[in-house]
Amino acid sequence: MAQAQSLQKKLQKGGLLDISSFGQRDVAEAAQVLGMTLFFVDCDRARSCSAVLRAIAKAVDFPEYFGSNLDALSDCLCDTLQDQKVGMVLWLHNLHSGDPALAADAAAIESVCADTVEFAADNGRYFAYAIQHAGKHPDPEPGVAPTPYAGHREHE
């Protein structure tokens, strides 16, 4: 019980959550109690900044005109936050920040999230985020085609 209350206070404070102490289910339950919306973003297959941004846009249901850059991410996070009664939690699952192609971009995405925390506080909302870092993507196996993204259909 005390751990749940502690997590609720952390969500209300906003900012980066230490997920070494809490699992996704714990965060989801605490967010629900507070009336916050949890957006779960599966970044596991993203190998570039634009792929991570597409995963976020899909999970958060950004508009079709989403610009797929960090400024657009900031704008859409703030707009989505304003649409929430209390606030929101953004959970980035398996962000491969260990990939050389994503290291700097992962830091920039985290910076956008930190800026959104300030925006939330200035607008009477809560914004917390969790980044489940993953190391480098495994190198592709020679002769084995990569698994297509979900929703991909081969032409008949």
Side-chain angles (χ1 to χ4, degrees), residues 89-104:
V89 179
L90 184 69
W91 183 291
L92 301 176
H93 174 74
N94 283 348
L95 179 61
H96 287 271
S97 51
D99 272 355
L102 277 175

Side-chain angles (χ1 to χ4, degrees), residues 63-137:
E64 282 186 38
Y65 58 83
F66 175 64
S68 290
N69 59 50
L70 295 172
D71 288 336
L73 174 64
S74 177
D75 291 345
C76 286
L77 283 177
C78 292
D79 288 348
T80 301
L81 182 64
Q82 290 287 74
D83 291 340
Q84 308 306 309
K85 289 183 180 180
V86 176
M88 61 188 259
V89 179
L90 184 69
W91 183 291
L92 301 176
H93 174 74
N94 283 348
L95 179 61
H96 287 271
S97 51
D99 272 355
L102 277 175
D105 295 321
I109 290 167
E110 187 170 345
S111 177
V112 168
C113 289
D115 292 345
T116 306
V117 172
E118 291 180 31
F119 176 85
D122 291 345
N123 288 278
R125 303 282 195 286
Y126 303 127
F127 179 76
Y129 61 100
I131 301 177
Q132 190 172 1
H133 291 282
K136 185 178 179 297
H137 277 101

Side-chain angles (χ1 to χ4, degrees), residues 1-155:
M1 185 68 163
Q3 184 178 10
Q5 290 175 338
S6 171
L7 180 53
Q8 289 172 13
K9 287 181 182 178
K10 290 176 192 261
L11 291 177
Q12 290 173 318
K13 181 179 178 189
L16 180 63
L17 298 172
D18 177 7
I19 59 173
S20 65
S21 304
F22 307 104
Q24 180 190 348
R25 174 176 274 153
D26 299 325
V27 172
E29 289 172 359
Q32 183 178 19
V33 167
L34 294 171
M36 296 174 73
T37 304
L38 171 67
F39 294 101
F40 179 81
V41 182
D42 186 0
C43 301
D44 194 36
R45 302 196 45 209
R47 293 180 175 266
S48 66
C49 183
S50 63
V52 172
L53 293 175
R54 282 192 307 271
I56 295 170
K58 180 180 177 184
V60 181
D61 197 23
F62 286 165
E64 282 186 38
Y65 58 83
F66 175 64
S68 290
N69 59 50
L70 295 172
D71 288 336
L73 174 64
S74 177
D75 291 345
C76 286
L77 283 177
C78 292
D79 288 348
T80 301
L81 182 64
Q82 290 287 74
D83 291 340
Q84 308 306 309
K85 289 183 180 180
V86 176
M88 61 188 259
V89 179
L90 184 69
W91 183 291
L92 301 176
H93 174 74
N94 283 348
L95 179 61
H96 287 271
S97 51
D99 272 355
L102 277 175
D105 295 321
I109 290 167
E110 187 170 345
S111 177
V112 168
C113 289
D115 292 345
T116 306
V117 172
E118 291 180 31
F119 176 85
D122 291 345
N123 288 278
R125 303 282 195 286
Y126 303 127
F127 179 76
Y129 61 100
I131 301 177
Q132 190 172 1
H133 291 282
K136 185 178 179 297
H137 277 101
D139 292 328
E141 293 182 41
V144 176
T147 306
Y149 285 106
H152 173 76
R153 295 186 198 145
E154 292 190 26
H155 296 288

